[in-house]
């Protein structure tokens, strides 16, 4: 606990208060009238009353001499660290001795005082060396060290750290630092000229804000005492963003469908790209590729929201599908690409169109059923049901329509025609598609039936009776006869011929026929049996 030592060269004189005594002691001290010197060594922070050394024994004085000489301590200090127990001849601790307070970092640390005895006067110098105990931990002045480090910082970048203070000295003083184990930084330790230890972090592996925007490390300072003491400071590292991430579309292909003829500003789809960077580096703008020739006039992309709208007229009959290349770009010019496939849905916006391939009019009334009158072609630009057409004839007429080939229809006669009953037909062909609502087109064919000489002329009466007065002059009109033929033109032209026979004993040639006008009935001037007859060509 304590040890007496012999006189050493080191000496420090302290002077008690009191003018005369001070001067006296000064002289004694100055000229070396000091009878003896002892040196003790004790650790700091010992309890009051702890034994320092046996002064009587070490000075070779007996207890009687101590008593008779009124042995006492004289010191210039205000604090009386030690007490001389004259009855036992020992020196004990009187007050708390804190090495750090007494000497700060001076080594070794000691204080001296004199033991004075009277009659005769003796002056003995006692030096007490205070050895350090590890009663202080390394401490940091701050609780947190804040760093803002760009994620672009290169390996090898150095970041000096606050050093810790340990009031203890020697091995009890600050020994080394430790840094929380981490992937990015290693600790480098240094000592400056006066032996103070400090540390710095060295970046070993680049930082990535997107993986970890904050790093929380601890710097631990330890001393060399036993038991060891330590102090800790938090190192709070905020990683600053650089634009090291390109935007990324959340889909490699976007699919949308729009109906054709949709009005301007119809919503199509919203695309989205995210950028892992922070702040302005993460702001993404959307735009179409220049490669989308043509379709860029039909669609518009909102550069901020990524929403795609229709701005032109989308026509299914022109394009059934659009493929738009899109880009996303951040402020730093990093980009990503994706595509949008827009299916156009058909709307029944096209009526079927009828084209006449051939049509023959007139048609002879003796044409057999099944005779082809015409061929039409029907086209509907729409697709699926919207483009599926059916063809029918509106009127109740002896014609039918038949399709042998897709989109081609044949107009046929259905039954026997008779010009004399109906000489002309208006045949309306209607084509209708299967869309909802359906669209249709009509075409009217005016078909004339040409005549065939299939009717004989007929007299209006089976027998004509006439009375004539005898002794007529030749040329007297006897009667008017009339025949009709329902055929047309030449086929209806009637000639009247008197059949060769005898009438009343005379030949029929004694009579003659005369026509009242070109096509009027015939007047028999004279004669008996009359027969209408056709003129044939
Ligand atoms: C056919 O249509 C034409 C023109 O509309 C019309 O003059 C004619 O009388 C019609 N014929 C029949 C038989 O309906």
């Amino acid at each position: 606990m304590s040890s007496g030592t012999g006189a050493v060269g080191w000496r420090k004189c302290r002077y008690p208060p009191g003018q005369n005594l001070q001067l006296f002691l000064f002289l004694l001290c100055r000229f070396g009238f000091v009878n003896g010197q002892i040196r003790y060594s004790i650790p700091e922070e010992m309890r009051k009353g702890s034994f320092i050394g046996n002064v009587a024994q070490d000075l070779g004085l007996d207890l009687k001499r101590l008593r008779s000489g009124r042995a006492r301590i004289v010191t210039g200090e205000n604090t009386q660290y030690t007490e001389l127990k004259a009855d036992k001849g020992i020196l004990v601790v009187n007050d708390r001795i804190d090495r750090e307070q007494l000497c700060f970092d001076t080594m070794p640390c000691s204080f001296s005082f004199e033991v004075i005895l009277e009659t005769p006067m003796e002056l003995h110098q006692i030096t007490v060396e205070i050895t350090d105990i590890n009663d202080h931990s390394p401490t940091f002045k701050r609780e947190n060290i804040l760093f803002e480090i760009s994620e672009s910082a290169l390996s090898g970048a150095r970041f000096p750290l606050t050093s810790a203070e340990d009031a203890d000295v020697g091995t009890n003083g600050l020994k080394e630092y430790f840094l929380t184990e981490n992937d990015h930084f290693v600790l480098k330790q240094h000592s400056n000229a006066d032996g103070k230890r400090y540390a710095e972090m060295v970046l070993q592996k680049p930082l990535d804000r997107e993986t970890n925007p904050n790093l929380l490390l601890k710097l631990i300072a330890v001393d060399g005492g036993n038991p060891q003491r330590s102090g800790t400071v938090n190192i709070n590292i905020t990683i600053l963003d650089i634009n090291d991430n390109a935007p990324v579309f959340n889909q490699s292909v976007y699919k949308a469908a729009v109906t054709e003829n949709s009005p301007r500003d119809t919503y199509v789809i919203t695309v989205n790209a995210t950028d892992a960077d922070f702040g302005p580096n993460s702001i993404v703008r959307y735009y179409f590729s220049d490669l989308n020739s043509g379709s860029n006039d039909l669609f518009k992309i909102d550069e901020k929201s990524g929403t795609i709208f229709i701005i032109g007229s989308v026509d299914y009959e022109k394009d059934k599908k659009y493929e738009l290349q899109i880009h996303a770009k951040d402020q730093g010019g990093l980009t990503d690409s994706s595509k949008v496939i827009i299916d156009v849905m058909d709307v029944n916006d096209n009526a079927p169109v009828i084209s006449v391939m051939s049509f023959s009019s007139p048609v002879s009334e003796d044409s057999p059923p099944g005779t082809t009158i015409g061929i039409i072609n029907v086209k509907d630009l729409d697709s699926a049901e919207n483009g599926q057409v059916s063809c029918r004839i509106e009127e109740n007429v002896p014609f039918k329509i038949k399709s042998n080939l897709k989109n081609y229809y044949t107009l046929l006669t259905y039954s026997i025609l008779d010009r004399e009953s109906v000489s002309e037909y208006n045949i309306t062909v209607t084509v209708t598609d299967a869309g909802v609502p359906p669209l249709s087109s009509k075409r009217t064919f005016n078909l004339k039936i040409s005549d065939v000489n299939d009717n004989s002329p007929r007299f209006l009466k089976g027998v004509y009776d006439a009375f004539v007065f005898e002794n007529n002059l030749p040329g007297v009109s006897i009667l008017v006869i009339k025949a009709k033929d329902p055929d047309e033109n030449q086929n209806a032209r009637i000639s009247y011929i008197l059949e060769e026979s005898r009438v009343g004993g005379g030949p029929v040639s004694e009579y003659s026929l005369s026509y009242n006008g070109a096509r009027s009935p015939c007047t028999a001037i004279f004669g008996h049996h009359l027969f209408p007859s056709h003129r044939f060509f």
Side-chain angles (χ1 to χ4, degrees):
M1 201 171 166
S2 70
S3 66
T5 61
V8 291
W10 179 83
R11 173 200 291 185
K12 192 175 175 191
C13 286
R14 289 171 194 273
Y15 311 106
Q19 206 63 39
N20 291 333
L21 185 59
Q22 197 166 8
L23 179 66
F24 167 75
L25 285 173
F26 169 75
L27 289 172
L28 280 178
C29 194
R30 176 82 175 76
F31 296 103
F33 298 117
V34 175
N35 300 73
Q37 278 189 342
I38 13 173
R39 189 177 176 87
Y40 296 111
S41 180
I42 56 161
E44 60 174 325
E45 305 284 359
M46 287 182 65
R47 277 206 312 275
K48 186 181 159 97
S50 297
F51 176 81
I52 298 174
N54 192 328
V55 175
Q57 196 184 308
D58 294 338
L59 291 175
L61 303 167
D62 60 20
L63 296 176
K64 253 189 262 166
R65 170 66 184 127
L66 287 182
R67 261 196 306 275
S68 67
R70 298 207 295 136
R72 64 186 187 277
I73 289 169
V74 285
T75 170
E77 305 286 343
N78 293 332
T79 320
Q80 197 78 39
Y81 289 119
T82 57
E83 186 193 357
L84 183 66
K85 298 265 188 204
D87 53 339
K88 291 178 187 156
I90 58 166
L91 192 66
V92 296
V93 173
N94 186 50
D95 202 349
R96 182 186 166 218
I97 307 171
D98 179 10
R99 193 204 63 79
E100 287 75 29
Q101 200 183 354
L102 199 63
C103 301
F104 186 53
D105 56 358
T106 307
M107 282 262 281
C109 176
S110 64
F111 60 90
S112 295
F113 53 90
E114 280 74 35
V115 172
I116 195 166
L117 287 98
E118 296 167 10
T119 53
M121 167 100 44
E122 276 180 58
L123 198 60
H124 300 276
Q125 191 177 54
I126 296 177
T127 300
V128 178
E129 189 190 334
I130 306 300
T131 57
D132 188 44
I133 63 163
N134 194 21
D135 57 346
H136 289 89
S137 299
T139 51
F140 290 96
K141 286 205 183 71
R142 288 185 272 160
E143 275 180 18
N144 294 295
I145 306 174
L146 305 178
F147 281 110
E148 286 188 335
I149 304 175
S150 166
E151 58 179 327
S152 67
L154 299 172
S155 299
R158 290 154 177 270
F159 304 93
L161 300 169
T162 318
S163 49
E165 304 285 343
D166 190 325
D168 295 322
V169 291
T171 53
N172 291 333
L174 180 65
K175 187 180 165 208
E176 59 183 324
Y177 294 97
F178 295 99
L179 185 66
T180 321
E181 205 146 300
N182 71 95
D183 294 338
H184 299 280
F185 294 97
V186 287
L187 197 66
K188 276 237 167 92
Q189 308 197 36
H190 308 277
S191 296
N192 62 11
D194 60 3
K196 206 163 171 184
R197 295 191 69 79
Y198 64 95
E200 58 185 7
M201 294 190 305
V202 180
L203 185 64
Q204 195 178 232
K205 188 186 149 212
L207 300 163
D208 182 26
R209 193 203 63 82
E210 288 70 37
T211 320
N212 204 350
N214 282 297
L215 270 178
L216 202 64
L217 304 177
K218 277 182 196 302
L219 179 67
I220 301 162
V222 295
D223 62 24
N226 186 17
Q228 195 168 52
R229 285 172 172 266
S230 66
T232 302
V233 64
N234 293 321
I235 304 174
N236 213 327
I237 303 167
T238 303
I239 320 279
L240 301 178
D241 188 49
I242 61 159
N243 191 25
D244 57 345
N245 287 280
V248 178
F249 276 106
N250 60 1
Q251 284 175 235
S252 57
V253 178
Y254 294 88
K255 288 193 168 151
V258 292
T259 48
E260 62 171 330
N261 309 333
S262 291
R264 204 186 156 85
D265 293 334
T266 299
Y267 173 87
V268 179
I269 195 171
T270 300
V271 298
N272 185 35
T274 49
D275 189 305
D277 290 321
F278 180 75
N281 290 336
S282 70
I283 294 172
V284 173
R285 294 264 185 269
Y286 302 92
Y287 59 98
F288 283 143
S289 164
D290 293 337
L291 298 174
N292 306 336
S293 54
S295 29
N296 284 3
D297 302 335
L298 297 179
F299 302 98
K300 181 186 81 175
I301 188 163
D302 183 272
E303 63 162 17
K304 283 183 189 164
S305 66
T307 302
I308 297 175
F309 297 100
I310 290 177
I311 53 165
S313 78
V314 176
D315 184 2
Y316 177 86
E317 285 69 41
K318 242 194 250 164
D319 277 301
K320 294 173 176 48
K321 188 178 275 206
Y322 293 95
E323 192 171 310
L324 302 173
Q325 297 292 328
I326 50 170
H327 300 304
K329 193 190 216 165
D330 68 19
Q331 307 273 61
L334 299 176
T335 61
D336 188 27
S337 300
S338 184
K339 64 182 172 185
V340 181
I341 294 174
I342 301 169
D343 283 316
V344 180
M345 292 181 294
D346 188 42
V347 163
N348 193 21
D349 58 343
N350 291 282
V353 175
I354 301 170
S355 333
V356 181
M357 300 282 107
S358 72
F359 176 63
S360 47
S361 173
V363 65
S364 169
E365 61 177 321
D366 65 352
S367 300
T371 303
T372 299
I373 309 290
I375 297 170
I376 58 169
N377 172 265
V378 181
K379 274 206 183 90
D380 190 310
L381 293 176
D382 294 318
S383 70
E385 278 105 66
N386 294 338
Q388 256 169 40
V389 293
S390 60
C391 220
R392 70 192 154 84
I393 294 169
E394 298 242 303
E395 300 87 357
N396 184 19
V397 288
F399 301 96
K400 65 176 179 183
I401 201 149
K402 205 170 110 184
S403 175
N404 300 325
L405 208 61
K406 189 173 152 55
N407 297 336
Y408 284 88
Y409 295 87
T410 312
L411 185 61
L412 306 163
T413 59
Y414 180 66
S415 58
I416 293 167
L417 303 172
D418 181 24
R419 192 205 63 79
E420 286 70 36
S421 331
V422 186
S423 65
E424 170 188 43
Y425 290 96
N426 281 338
I427 308 165
T428 306
V429 174
T430 303
V431 289
T432 307
D433 64 28
V436 179
L439 294 175
S440 62
S441 300
K442 285 179 188 197
R443 182 82 175 235
T444 300
F445 296 90
N446 181 257
L447 179 70
K448 297 215 158 53
I449 310 298
S450 60
D451 189 48
V452 165
N453 195 16
D454 53 353
N455 289 284
S456 305
R458 270 183 210 288
F459 283 107
L460 298 182
K461 288 184 183 170
V463 178
Y464 289 89
D465 296 314
F467 300 92
V468 288
F469 295 101
E470 59 181 334
N471 303 323
N472 274 321
L473 288 172
V476 169
S477 176
I478 300 166
L479 66 105
V480 175
I481 54 166
K482 195 177 176 184
K484 277 197 170 166
D485 188 320
D487 289 326
E488 202 182 25
N489 298 336
Q490 301 294 4
N491 295 338
R493 198 172 207 146
I494 299 168
S495 320
Y496 299 86
I497 301 158
L498 283 175
E499 244 179 32
E500 202 53 55
S501 60
R502 295 197 67 85
V503 176
V508 81
S509 52
E510 288 169 16
Y511 304 87
S512 73
L513 289 168
S514 84
Y515 293 96
N516 306 337
R519 298 282 176 266
S520 61
C522 194
T523 307
I525 308 290
F526 193 72
H528 17 210
H529 289 104
L530 295 169
F531 299 97
S533 74
H534 293 136
R535 274 174 67 170
F536 295 103
F537 296 97

